[in-house]
Amino acid sequence: MKQKGWKDLVPGSVILEGGSAVKFKTGSWRAYRPVWKEENCIQCLFCWIYCPDMSIKVKDGKRGEFDYDYCKGCGICALECPGKKGVKAIVMIEEGT
Amino acid sequence: MAKVVAVTGNEACANALRQVNPDVCGIYPITPQTDMMQRYASYISDGKVKTEPILVESEHSSMSACIGASAAGGRVITATSSQGLALMWEMLHIASGDRLPIIMPVVNRALSAPLNIHGDHSDAMGCRDTGWIQIWSENAQEAYDNTIQAFRVGEHMDIRLPVMVCMDGFIISHSIERMEYLEDAEVQNFVGEFQNLYPLLDLDKPKSYGPLILTDLYHEYKRAQHEVMLKVKNVVLDVAKDFEKMSGRKYGLFETYRLEDADIALVILNSAAGTSKDVVDDFRSRGIKAGLLKPRLFRPFPYEEIAEALKNTKAVCVMDRSDSFGGYGPLFMEISSALYQLQQKPALINKIYGLGGRDYLPSHGELVFNELNEIAKSGKINIIKEYIGVRE
């Protein structure tokens, strides 16, 4: 991609479109990866609500896999997950292990 | 029809702002500006303007509120002095970087410590690198006229930059002078309807202000900001031309007083320039070719034009009402840079005067002109930078 020169810029560095964060993949920031254990998931969707990005994909009211392109590994989903009978449906593992 | 009045600088500026009737005003008191925003708050209470006041808990918040309101798409004002301006510091860069045309009278006052409420230029000189346009004013009339013109300059579609209009604390802000007001309709017609650029409140076109820009583009954004500053001089002159048609009062990038054939000259800002013009007259009446240059547009600084105006002088003293400790006075640095490009340049000295509101008297100007006269004859400078009017 050709990078913009100084004459091509919008004054004041204003971004003139909505939802442009989708172009900026932040998954590489992650040090810990959340892993979904479907067998322990009660479909409460707390993870979907608490995720500060949009890394929990929901289809037809059901939680699906993580979107690792945007998950920064903050671990909030794993913390909030009530799991099934106290056994977490989301656990954090170190990246690269 | 102009109306002749006897008012203070603060009152004049508050009236200029009333005549413009902006959308939003960030308000926080600080001496010697307080009286200006207090008057403006009265206009709001009395229903004379439709401005939305935002009463904040600090100047940092005031400038932050102004940035938000300006990005939202409003015509926005505030005013401050001294510590208040200092507390705004980081937000000043954001206002200019986001290209938001906020208009802010600055009533110049010394900076602490020691604590001092009186007029000097330390506050505005300290923020000369914040990317704001700076216009300086000798008296209440100029402060009023410059405030009105500032809207046209900052809001110009090729510019979109915040503007501070400077005047001396107490000496101008609190002294009553004779001056002329324009009619409300004239001012409103002159500044025109506010045109916004990228308003956040245009919900059909979502947008974001203040993104993270790292090594890939930051350098380019700053280059673009530099380019905009290069366009300001022409806009200031065009606006001044229109203003002259309306008011009969002429403004430029700077004012010269008996400078055309002068051998010796002072460069001096704001109220002390008025005092110095009397001294120039006195020297002229004794056959000594003295003159004066008073900068008006300090940011962007008109280097070439000022060099051209001073090139035939033999000796010049730059008078600074603030100091860059360990450096020369801030105005001296600019004049020195301007003159360096000339093949033949006058001898140049720097005097620091009037800090913390210390009186600047005609006798001070006389001493400086006498010294310049000696330098013009001998070509010899003893001390480049020196404090005057200071007790040993």
Side-chain angles (χ1 to χ4, degrees), chain B residues 119-242:
Chain B
D120 77 25
H121 304 156
S122 310
D123 50 4
M125 283 300 168
C127 65
R128 70 203 157 154
D129 299 337
T130 56
W132 282 57
I133 295 168
Q134 286 192 353
I135 303 176
W136 292 68
S137 324
E138 179 180 324
N139 49 37
Q141 184 75 65
E142 288 192 11
Y144 171 83
D145 293 348
N146 285 339
T147 301
I148 292 165
Q149 290 175 71
F151 286 90
R152 281 274 299 274
V153 174
E155 292 172 6
H156 192 286
M157 277 299 170
D158 295 342
I159 307 294
R160 307 305 285 190
L161 282 174
V163 187
M164 56 182 81
V165 177
C166 301
M167 68 164 144
D168 286 348
F170 287 107
I171 300 164
I172 299 305
S173 68
H174 285 64
S175 301
I176 294 177
E177 290 179 80
R178 176 222 177 269
M179 59 165 286
E180 293 176 15
Y181 279 159
L182 297 158
E183 294 292 334
D184 290 2
E186 284 180 306
V187 174
Q188 279 156 23
N189 185 49
F190 182 78
V191 298
E193 188 100 344
F194 181 68
Q195 306 291 319
N196 54 33
L197 183 72
Y198 314 138
L200 278 174
L201 286 180
D202 180 1
L203 300 181
D204 296 329
K205 291 179 188 160
K207 52 191 78 69
S208 303
Y209 273 80
L212 177 72
I213 305 285
L214 298 176
T215 47
D216 55 343
L217 272 174
Y218 184 89
H219 201 54
E220 280 69 28
Y221 273 108
K222 293 297 140 182
R223 174 64 184 83
Q225 214 174 323
H226 163 65
E227 188 71 13
V228 175
M229 273 294 194
L230 296 179
K231 296 178 184 168
V232 172
K233 280 191 295 194
N234 281 340
V235 172
V236 166
L237 290 173
D238 288 347
V239 170
K241 217 174 280 171
D242 283 354

Side-chain angles (χ1 to χ4, degrees), chain A residues 24-26 57 68 80:
Chain A
F24 190 34
K25 294 190 176 170
T26 48
K57 293 297 168 196
Y68 288 114
E80 296 297 338

Side-chain angles (χ1 to χ4, degrees), chain B residues 267-343:
Chain B
V267 179
I268 189 162
L269 281 163
N270 276 15
S271 65
T275 312
S276 301
K277 287 173 193 168
D278 277 347
V279 183
V280 168
D281 288 345
D282 180 45
F283 273 69
R284 285 278 176 172
S285 70
R286 290 191 267 136
I288 300 166
K289 288 181 177 173
L292 177 145
L293 187 147
K294 179 189 75 179
R296 173 177 181 243
L297 185 67
F298 188 80
R299 277 293 178 272
F301 197 82
Y303 293 100
E304 297 86 357
E305 293 84 351
I306 285 185
E308 183 64 26
L310 290 173
K311 71 174 182 189
N312 293 325
T313 57
K314 291 176 181 153
V316 173
C317 179
V318 183
M319 306 285 285
D320 269 289
R321 203 166 200 155
S322 61
D323 197 359
S324 173
F325 302 100
Y328 292 120
L331 183 56
F332 179 89
M333 293 191 226
E334 302 300 352
I335 301 297
S336 185
S337 303
L339 296 180
Y340 185 79
Q341 303 302 329
L342 295 175
Q343 290 298 321

Side-chain angles (χ1 to χ4, degrees), chain A:
Chain A
M1 190 179 78
K2 190 180 175 290
Q3 287 205 311
K4 284 181 178 173
W6 67 265
K7 291 174 185 168
D8 309 322
L9 303 175
V10 176
S13 63
V14 181
I15 297 171
L16 297 174
E17 56 181 333
S20 61
V22 76
K23 293 180 183 170
F24 190 34
K25 294 190 176 170
T26 48
S28 64
W29 299 9
R30 197 170 55 240
Y32 285 86
R33 166 190 290 260
V35 177
W36 182 44
K37 310 254 185 204
E38 194 173 356
E39 65 274 19
N40 297 331
C41 180
I42 59 169
Q43 292 294 340
C44 66
L45 299 185
F46 275 17
C47 51
W48 174 70
I49 290 171
Y50 279 104
C51 177
D53 208 297
M54 290 169 67
S55 304
I56 317 286
K57 293 297 168 196
V58 173
K59 202 180 172 192
D60 302 328
K62 294 273 183 193
R63 186 207 196 284
E65 248 315 335
F66 282 103
D67 184 345
Y68 288 114
D69 278 351
Y70 303 102
C71 172
K72 301 175 192 68
C74 70
I76 292 174
C77 57
L79 183 80
E80 296 297 338
C81 177
K84 192 182 276 179
K85 294 178 183 167
V87 185
K88 293 268 185 189
I90 302 173
V91 291
M92 303 298 290
I93 61 164
E94 199 167 346
E95 277 291 349
T97 57

